[in-house]
Amino acid sequence: MKFKLLVIFSALICSLKAFSQSYKIIYDFKWKTEKQSKDYNSELTVLLKDEENSYFESLAKFKYDSVKTKLVNQGSRSFPAPKQQWKLQTLISKNLKSQTTITEENFFDKVYLTTYHCRPEWEILQEKSKLFSYNVQKAETNFGGRKWMAWFTNEIPISDGPYKFYGLPGLILKIYDSEENFIFEIKGLTKEQNNIEERNANTAKVNFTPKQWETFWARYQKDPSMIFANLNSPTATFTYVYYGKNVDSKEAKDAYNKSEKEKIDFFKIPIELKSCE
């Protein structure tokens, strides 16, 4: 049985002309952990779109970020544990006016931000089809070391899409790489305003260039607990712990490494084989 898009889609066509509106677009994200596997992991993701900016992340993470933003605005500096875990850890924000992309990663007590100034360069093809009752057109791009095929519709005039993909004259409804290791496919769209901007208001932030992030990420994958180094000092007024254990202890480091490597292993095949500046 084919997954049918929300009926609200058709009712929104006229209102989509108003770019000042905000939208929540749900995509099903499927990916392989092993190249030879016929099985896919699957997770619902969300694209939050307003006039100039958009955020893309796991739907479960979005729900938790919404809770965090609400608590921050109420003056809280502590948050409950998430009710649901997510596999896609990265949040991707895009500024369509400046054409910059920022990736956000949360590791222990800090948020790591990397700013990119590159964007997908598209070749719009003549091939056309129908997808979810919409007229769609095919486009291709080489991005992140992979060739990607996208189906977009100019019947929904939003120049955006899942992950880091944007810049086409319409909304991307489906996009996949040439080996079909990764597939993003739209499942629904609603007109609504969501604010997650304050989610990390009280968290320390580290800003990276793309090259600095690559160096950090290579080290982190080998030894995630490296970020515990020098957190506790003799003069500190409090002690950092992980699940009740001092982060300097072997127990804390082993537990953190195990947890983080399980998350990393979900993406043994990386979405991007190489990054751009």
Side-chain angles (χ1 to χ4, degrees), residues 2-209:
K2 293 184 177 179
F3 203 118
K4 195 172 182 181
L5 278 179
L6 298 178
V7 178
I8 199 169
F9 245 47
S10 57
L12 284 171
I13 292 301
C14 294
S15 62
L16 281 167
K17 303 288 185 183
F19 285 93
S20 60
Q21 300 295 332
S22 297
Y23 301 92
K24 183 172 78 174
I25 305 162
I26 305 297
Y27 289 91
D28 184 22
F29 174 36
K30 295 179 180 179
W31 73 97
K32 292 181 180 180
T33 300
E34 304 287 348
K35 275 191 174 182
Q36 306 305 320
S37 175
K38 294 182 180 180
D39 299 324
Y40 286 91
N41 297 289
S42 181
E43 184 165 58
L44 289 178
T45 57
V46 61
L47 176 69
L48 307 174
K49 175 76 178 67
D50 61 24
E51 186 173 3
E52 292 184 357
N53 301 290
S54 67
Y55 296 94
F56 178 80
E57 63 179 338
S58 159
L59 181 61
K61 186 175 186 304
F62 157 71
K63 292 176 180 178
Y64 184 60
D65 284 343
S66 298
V67 170
K68 287 176 66 178
T69 292
K70 182 178 179 180
L71 290 173
V72 168
N73 290 333
Q74 292 174 350
S76 177
R77 295 179 66 91
S78 61
F79 313 107
K83 294 181 179 179
Q84 181 183 355
Q85 291 298 324
W86 48 88
K87 297 180 180 69
L88 181 65
Q89 303 297 318
T90 309
L91 181 148
I92 297 164
S93 61
K94 289 171 278 191
N95 185 303
L96 303 184
K97 185 175 182 180
S98 65
Q99 296 193 351
T100 56
T101 301
I102 298 175
T103 60
E104 176 184 300
E105 305 278 356
N106 294 69
F107 299 136
F108 195 55
D109 68 325
K110 295 182 180 64
V111 177
Y112 297 80
L113 305 168
T114 307
T115 301
Y116 298 87
H117 298 281
C118 54
R119 53 168 291 175
E121 298 294 336
W122 297 99
E123 178 185 0
I124 298 178
L125 308 178
Q126 294 302 312
E127 188 175 350
K128 296 181 180 181
S129 186
K130 281 273 191 180
L131 190 61
F132 303 117
S133 300
Y134 285 89
N135 293 308
V136 293
Q137 189 166 354
K138 194 174 186 180
E140 293 182 349
T141 186
N142 290 302
F143 186 80
R146 296 186 185 277
K147 184 176 182 179
W148 296 84
M149 279 68 73
W151 290 98
F152 72 95
T153 178
N154 55 20
E155 294 176 13
I156 305 177
I158 296 175
S159 181
D160 209 341
Y163 193 62
K164 297 179 181 178
F165 300 109
Y166 68 103
L168 284 166
L171 182 66
I172 297 173
L173 301 189
K174 185 175 182 178
I175 185 167
Y176 50 92
D177 70 290
S178 59
E179 297 178 335
E180 295 194 7
N181 289 316
F182 305 94
I183 304 170
F184 298 88
E185 187 173 61
I186 197 168
K187 293 301 175 186
L189 180 153
T190 54
K191 185 174 70 173
E192 58 182 84
Q193 195 165 12
N194 292 278
N195 179 14
I196 57 171
E197 291 183 357
E198 298 299 319
R199 63 198 177 282
N200 296 318
N202 302 316
T203 308
K205 298 173 180 61
V206 178
N207 290 289
F208 281 142
T209 65

Side-chain angles (χ1 to χ4, degrees), residues 213-224:
W213 165 253
E214 284 185 20
T215 300
F216 173 87
W217 181 235
R219 292 178 56 212
Y220 188 86
Q221 290 178 87
K222 294 178 181 178
D223 179 23

Side-chain angles (χ1 to χ4, degrees), residues 265-276:
D265 282 348
F266 277 117
F267 293 93
K268 288 180 182 177
I269 306 173
I271 299 177
E272 295 180 52
L273 297 175
K274 61 180 182 180
S275 66
C276 58

